[in-house]
CSV table of all heavy atoms in Angstrom, one decimal:
chain,number,residue,atom,x,y,z
P,1086,TYR,N,47.9,155.9,127.3
P,1086,TYR,CA,47.5,156.9,128.3
P,1086,TYR,C,45.9,156.9,128.3
P,1086,TYR,O,45.3,156.5,127.3
P,1086,TYR,CB,48.1,158.3,128.0
P,1086,TYR,CG,49.6,158.3,128.2
P,1086,TYR,CD1,50.4,158.0,127.2
P,1086,TYR,CD2,50.1,158.7,129.4
P,1086,TYR,CE1,51.8,158.0,127.3
P,1086,TYR,CE2,51.5,158.7,129.6
P,1086,TYR,CZ,52.3,158.4,128.6
P,1086,TYR,OH,53.7,158.4,128.7
P,1087,ASP,N,45.4,157.5,129.3
P,1087,ASP,CA,43.9,157.5,129.4
P,1087,ASP,C,43.3,158.3,128.3
P,1087,ASP,O,42.2,157.9,127.8
P,1087,ASP,CB,43.5,158.1,130.7
P,1087,ASP,CG,43.8,157.2,131.9
P,1087,ASP,OD1,44.0,156.0,131.7
P,1087,ASP,OD2,44.0,157.7,133.0
P,1088,GLY,N,43.9,159.3,127.8
P,1088,GLY,CA,43.4,160.1,126.7
P,1088,GLY,C,44.1,160.0,125.4
P,1088,GLY,O,43.8,160.7,124.4
P,1089,PHE,N,45.0,159.1,125.3
P,1089,PHE,CA,45.8,159.0,124.1
P,1089,PHE,C,46.5,157.6,124.0
P,1089,PHE,O,47.2,157.2,125.0
P,1089,PHE,CB,46.8,160.1,124.1
P,1089,PHE,CG,47.8,160.1,122.9
P,1089,PHE,CD1,47.4,160.6,121.7
P,1089,PHE,CD2,49.1,159.5,123.0
P,1089,PHE,CE1,48.3,160.5,120.6
P,1089,PHE,CE2,50.0,159.5,122.0
P,1089,PHE,CZ,49.6,160.0,120.8
P,1090,ILE,N,46.4,156.9,122.9
P,1090,ILE,CA,47.0,155.6,122.7
P,1090,ILE,C,47.7,155.7,121.3
P,1090,ILE,O,47.1,156.1,120.4
P,1090,ILE,CB,46.1,154.4,122.8
P,1090,ILE,CG1,45.4,154.3,124.2
P,1090,ILE,CG2,46.8,153.1,122.5
P,1090,ILE,CD1,44.3,153.3,124.2
P,1091,ALA,N,49.0,155.3,121.3
P,1091,ALA,CA,49.7,155.4,120.0
P,1091,ALA,C,50.6,154.2,119.9
P,1091,ALA,O,51.2,153.8,120.8
P,1091,ALA,CB,50.5,156.7,119.9
P,1092,ASN,N,50.7,153.7,118.6
P,1092,ASN,CA,51.7,152.7,118.2
P,1092,ASN,C,52.6,153.4,117.2
P,1092,ASN,O,52.1,153.7,116.1
P,1092,ASN,CB,51.0,151.5,117.6
P,1092,ASN,CG,50.3,150.6,118.7
P,1092,ASN,OD1,51.0,150.0,119.5
P,1092,ASN,ND2,49.0,150.6,118.7
P,1093,LEU,N,53.8,153.6,117.5
P,1093,LEU,CA,54.8,154.3,116.7
P,1093,LEU,C,56.0,153.4,116.4
P,1093,LEU,O,56.6,152.9,117.4
P,1093,LEU,CB,55.2,155.6,117.3
P,1093,LEU,CG,56.3,156.4,116.5
P,1093,LEU,CD1,55.7,156.8,115.2
P,1093,LEU,CD2,56.7,157.6,117.4
P,1094,GLY,N,56.3,153.1,115.2
P,1094,GLY,CA,57.4,152.2,114.9
P,1094,GLY,C,58.0,152.4,113.6
P,1094,GLY,O,57.5,153.1,112.7
P,1095,ILE,N,59.1,151.8,113.4
P,1095,ILE,CA,59.8,151.8,112.1
P,1095,ILE,C,60.5,150.4,111.8
P,1095,ILE,O,60.9,149.7,112.8
P,1095,ILE,CB,60.9,152.9,112.0
P,1095,ILE,CG1,61.3,153.1,110.6
P,1095,ILE,CG2,62.0,152.6,113.0
P,1095,ILE,CD1,62.1,154.4,110.4
P,1096,ARG,N,60.5,150.0,110.6
P,1096,ARG,CA,61.0,148.7,110.2
P,1096,ARG,C,61.9,148.8,109.0
P,1096,ARG,O,61.7,149.7,108.1
P,1096,ARG,CB,59.8,147.8,109.8
P,1096,ARG,CG,60.2,146.4,109.4
P,1096,ARG,CD,58.9,145.7,108.9
P,1096,ARG,NE,59.3,144.3,108.4
P,1096,ARG,CZ,59.3,143.3,109.2
P,1096,ARG,NH1,59.0,143.4,110.5
P,1096,ARG,NH2,59.7,142.1,108.8
P,1097,ILE,N,63.0,148.0,109.0
P,1097,ILE,CA,63.9,148.0,107.9
P,1097,ILE,C,64.0,146.5,107.4
P,1097,ILE,O,64.1,145.6,108.2
P,1097,ILE,CB,65.3,148.6,108.2
P,1097,ILE,CG1,66.2,148.6,107.0
P,1097,ILE,CG2,65.9,147.8,109.3
P,1097,ILE,CD1,67.4,149.3,107.1
P,1098,ASP,N,63.9,146.3,106.1
P,1098,ASP,CA,64.0,145.0,105.5
P,1098,ASP,C,65.1,145.0,104.5
P,1098,ASP,O,65.3,146.0,103.7
P,1098,ASP,CB,62.7,144.6,104.8
P,1098,ASP,CG,61.6,144.3,105.7
P,1098,ASP,OD1,60.8,145.3,106.1
P,1098,ASP,OD2,61.4,143.2,106.1
P,1099,VAL,N,65.9,143.9,104.4
P,1099,VAL,CA,67.0,143.8,103.5
P,1099,VAL,C,66.8,142.4,102.8
P,1099,VAL,O,66.5,141.4,103.4
P,1099,VAL,CB,68.3,143.8,104.2
P,1099,VAL,CG1,69.5,143.6,103.2
P,1099,VAL,CG2,68.5,145.1,105.0
P,1100,PHE,N,67.0,142.5,101.4
P,1100,PHE,CA,66.8,141.2,100.6
P,1100,PHE,C,68.0,141.1,99.7
P,1100,PHE,O,68.3,142.1,98.9
P,1100,PHE,CB,65.5,141.2,99.9
P,1100,PHE,CG,65.3,140.1,98.9
P,1100,PHE,CD1,65.2,138.8,99.4
P,1100,PHE,CD2,65.4,140.3,97.6
P,1100,PHE,CE1,65.0,137.7,98.6
P,1100,PHE,CE2,65.3,139.2,96.7
P,1100,PHE,CZ,65.1,137.9,97.2
P,1101,ASP,N,68.6,140.0,99.6
P,1101,ASP,CA,69.7,139.7,98.7
P,1101,ASP,C,69.2,138.5,97.8
P,1101,ASP,O,69.2,137.4,98.2
P,1101,ASP,CB,70.9,139.3,99.4
P,1101,ASP,CG,72.1,139.1,98.5
P,1101,ASP,OD1,72.0,139.3,97.3
P,1101,ASP,OD2,73.2,138.8,99.0
P,1102,PRO,N,68.9,138.8,96.5
P,1102,PRO,CA,68.5,137.8,95.6
P,1102,PRO,C,69.5,136.7,95.2
P,1102,PRO,O,69.2,135.6,94.8
P,1102,PRO,CB,68.0,138.5,94.4
P,1102,PRO,CG,68.7,139.8,94.4
P,1102,PRO,CD,68.9,140.1,95.8
P,1103,ARG,N,70.8,137.1,95.3
P,1103,ARG,CA,71.9,136.2,95.0
P,1103,ARG,C,71.7,135.5,93.6
P,1103,ARG,O,71.8,134.3,93.4
P,1103,ARG,CB,72.1,135.2,96.1
P,1103,ARG,CG,72.2,135.8,97.4
P,1103,ARG,CD,72.5,134.7,98.5
P,1103,ARG,NE,73.9,134.2,98.4
P,1103,ARG,CZ,74.3,133.1,99.0
P,1103,ARG,NH1,73.5,132.4,99.8
P,1103,ARG,NH2,75.5,132.7,98.9
P,1104,ALA,N,71.5,136.4,92.6
P,1104,ALA,CA,71.3,135.9,91.2
P,1104,ALA,C,71.7,137.0,90.2
P,1104,ALA,O,72.0,138.1,90.6
P,1104,ALA,CB,69.9,135.5,91.0
P,1105,ALA,N,71.8,136.6,89.0
P,1105,ALA,CA,72.2,137.5,87.9
P,1105,ALA,C,71.1,137.4,86.8
P,1105,ALA,O,70.4,136.4,86.7
P,1105,ALA,CB,73.5,137.2,87.3
P,1106,ARG,N,70.9,138.5,86.1
P,1106,ARG,CA,69.9,138.6,85.0
P,1106,ARG,C,70.6,138.9,83.7
P,1106,ARG,O,71.7,139.5,83.6
P,1106,ARG,CB,68.9,139.6,85.3
P,1106,ARG,CG,69.5,141.0,85.4
P,1106,ARG,CD,68.4,142.1,85.5
P,1106,ARG,NE,69.0,143.4,85.7
P,1106,ARG,CZ,69.5,144.2,84.8
P,1106,ARG,NH1,69.4,143.8,83.5
P,1106,ARG,NH2,69.9,145.4,85.0
P,1107,PRO,N,70.0,138.5,82.6
P,1107,PRO,CA,70.5,138.8,81.3
P,1107,PRO,C,70.4,140.3,81.0
P,1107,PRO,O,69.4,140.9,81.4
P,1107,PRO,CB,69.7,138.0,80.3
P,1107,PRO,CG,68.4,137.7,81.0
P,1107,PRO,CD,68.8,137.6,82.5
P,1108,MET,N,71.3,140.8,80.3
P,1108,MET,CA,71.3,142.3,80.0
P,1108,MET,C,70.2,142.6,78.9
P,1108,MET,O,70.0,141.8,78.0
P,1108,MET,CB,72.7,142.7,79.5
P,1108,MET,CG,72.7,144.2,79.2
P,1108,MET,SD,74.4,144.7,78.7
P,1108,MET,CE,75.2,144.6,80.3
P,1109,LEU,N,69.6,143.7,79.0
P,1109,LEU,CA,68.6,144.1,78.0
P,1109,LEU,C,69.2,145.3,77.3
P,1109,LEU,O,69.9,146.2,77.8
P,1109,LEU,CB,67.3,144.6,78.7
P,1109,LEU,CG,66.6,143.5,79.5
P,1109,LEU,CD1,65.3,144.1,80.1
P,1109,LEU,CD2,66.2,142.4,78.5
P,1110,GLU,N,69.1,145.3,75.9
P,1110,GLU,CA,69.6,146.4,75.1
P,1110,GLU,C,68.5,146.8,74.1
P,1110,GLU,O,67.5,146.1,73.9
P,1110,GLU,CB,70.8,145.8,74.3
P,1110,GLU,CG,72.0,145.4,75.2
P,1110,GLU,CD,73.2,144.9,74.4
P,1110,GLU,OE1,73.0,144.7,73.2
P,1110,GLU,OE2,74.3,144.7,75.0
P,1111,VAL,N,68.8,148.0,73.5
P,1111,VAL,CA,67.8,148.5,72.5
P,1111,VAL,C,68.3,148.1,71.2
P,1111,VAL,O,69.4,148.3,70.8
P,1111,VAL,CB,67.7,150.0,72.6
P,1111,VAL,CG1,66.8,150.6,71.5
P,1111,VAL,CG2,67.2,150.5,74.0
P,1112,ASN,N,67.3,147.5,70.4
P,1112,ASN,CA,67.6,147.1,69.0
P,1112,ASN,C,67.4,148.4,68.2
P,1112,ASN,O,66.2,148.6,67.8
P,1112,ASN,CB,66.7,146.0,68.6
P,1112,ASN,CG,67.0,145.5,67.2
P,1112,ASN,OD1,67.9,146.0,66.5
P,1112,ASN,ND2,66.3,144.4,66.8
P,1113,VAL,N,68.4,149.1,67.8
P,1113,VAL,CA,68.3,150.3,67.1
P,1113,VAL,C,68.1,150.1,65.6
P,1113,VAL,O,68.0,151.1,64.8
P,1113,VAL,CB,69.5,151.2,67.4
P,1113,VAL,CG1,69.5,151.6,68.8
P,1113,VAL,CG2,70.8,150.6,67.0
P,1114,THR,N,68.2,148.9,65.1
P,1114,THR,CA,68.1,148.6,63.7
P,1114,THR,C,66.7,148.6,63.2
P,1114,THR,O,66.4,148.7,62.0
P,1114,THR,CB,68.7,147.2,63.3
P,1114,THR,OG1,68.0,146.2,64.0
P,1114,THR,CG2,70.2,147.2,63.8
P,1115,GLN,N,65.7,148.5,64.1
P,1115,GLN,CA,64.3,148.5,63.7
P,1115,GLN,C,63.8,150.0,63.7
P,1115,GLN,O,64.3,150.8,64.4
P,1115,GLN,CB,63.5,147.7,64.7
P,1115,GLN,CG,63.9,146.2,64.7
P,1115,GLN,CD,63.0,145.4,65.6
P,1115,GLN,OE1,62.1,145.9,66.2
P,1115,GLN,NE2,63.3,144.1,65.8
P,1116,THR,N,62.8,150.2,62.9
P,1116,THR,CA,62.1,151.5,62.9
P,1116,THR,C,61.6,151.9,64.2
P,1116,THR,O,61.8,153.0,64.7
P,1116,THR,CB,61.0,151.5,61.8
P,1116,THR,OG1,61.6,151.1,60.5
P,1116,THR,CG2,60.4,152.9,61.7
P,1117,ASP,N,60.8,150.9,64.8
P,1117,ASP,CA,60.3,151.1,66.2
P,1117,ASP,C,61.2,150.4,67.1
P,1117,ASP,O,61.3,149.2,67.1
P,1117,ASP,CB,58.9,150.6,66.3
P,1117,ASP,CG,57.9,151.3,65.4
P,1117,ASP,OD1,58.1,152.5,65.2
P,1117,ASP,OD2,57.0,150.6,64.8
P,1118,SER,N,61.9,151.1,67.9
P,1118,SER,CA,62.9,150.6,68.8
P,1118,SER,C,62.2,149.6,69.8
P,1118,SER,O,61.1,149.9,70.3
P,1118,SER,CB,63.6,151.6,69.6
P,1118,SER,OG,64.3,152.5,68.8
P,1119,ALA,N,62.8,148.4,70.0
P,1119,ALA,CA,62.3,147.4,70.9
P,1119,ALA,C,63.4,146.9,71.7
P,1119,ALA,O,64.5,146.8,71.3
P,1119,ALA,CB,61.6,146.3,70.0
P,1120,TRP,N,63.0,146.5,72.9
P,1120,TRP,CA,64.0,145.9,73.8
P,1120,TRP,C,64.3,144.4,73.3
P,1120,TRP,O,63.4,143.7,72.9
P,1120,TRP,CB,63.4,145.8,75.3
P,1120,TRP,CG,63.4,147.1,76.0
P,1120,TRP,CD1,62.3,147.9,76.2
P,1120,TRP,CD2,64.5,147.8,76.5
P,1120,TRP,NE1,62.6,149.0,76.8
P,1120,TRP,CE2,64.0,149.0,77.1
P,1120,TRP,CE3,65.8,147.6,76.6
P,1120,TRP,CZ2,64.8,149.9,77.7
P,1120,TRP,CZ3,66.6,148.5,77.3
P,1120,TRP,CH2,66.1,149.7,77.8
P,1121,ILE,N,65.6,144.1,73.5
P,1121,ILE,CA,66.0,142.7,73.1
P,1121,ILE,C,66.8,142.2,74.3
P,1121,ILE,O,67.3,142.9,75.1
P,1121,ILE,CB,66.8,142.7,71.8
P,1121,ILE,CG1,68.1,143.5,72.0
P,1121,ILE,CG2,66.0,143.2,70.6
P,1121,ILE,CD1,69.1,143.3,70.9
P,1122,VAL,N,66.8,140.8,74.4
P,1122,VAL,CA,67.5,140.1,75.4
P,1122,VAL,C,68.9,139.8,74.9
P,1122,VAL,O,69.0,139.1,73.9
P,1122,VAL,CB,66.8,138.9,75.9
P,1122,VAL,CG1,67.6,138.1,76.9
P,1122,VAL,CG2,65.4,139.2,76.5
Side-chain angles (χ1 to χ4, degrees):
Y1086 293 87
D1087 292 336
F1089 176 81
I1090 299 172
N1092 287 293
L1093 177 63
I1095 193 166
R1096 178 186 180 90
I1097 184 170
D1098 289 90
V1099 180
F1100 174 71
D1101 184 1
R1103 305 184 74 190
R1106 60 173 176 81
M1108 180 177 289
L1109 297 179
E1110 297 178 349
V1111 176
N1112 184 357
V1113 295
T1114 61
Q1115 297 183 4
T1116 304
D1117 297 325
S1118 297
W1120 288 103
I1121 61 173
V1122 175

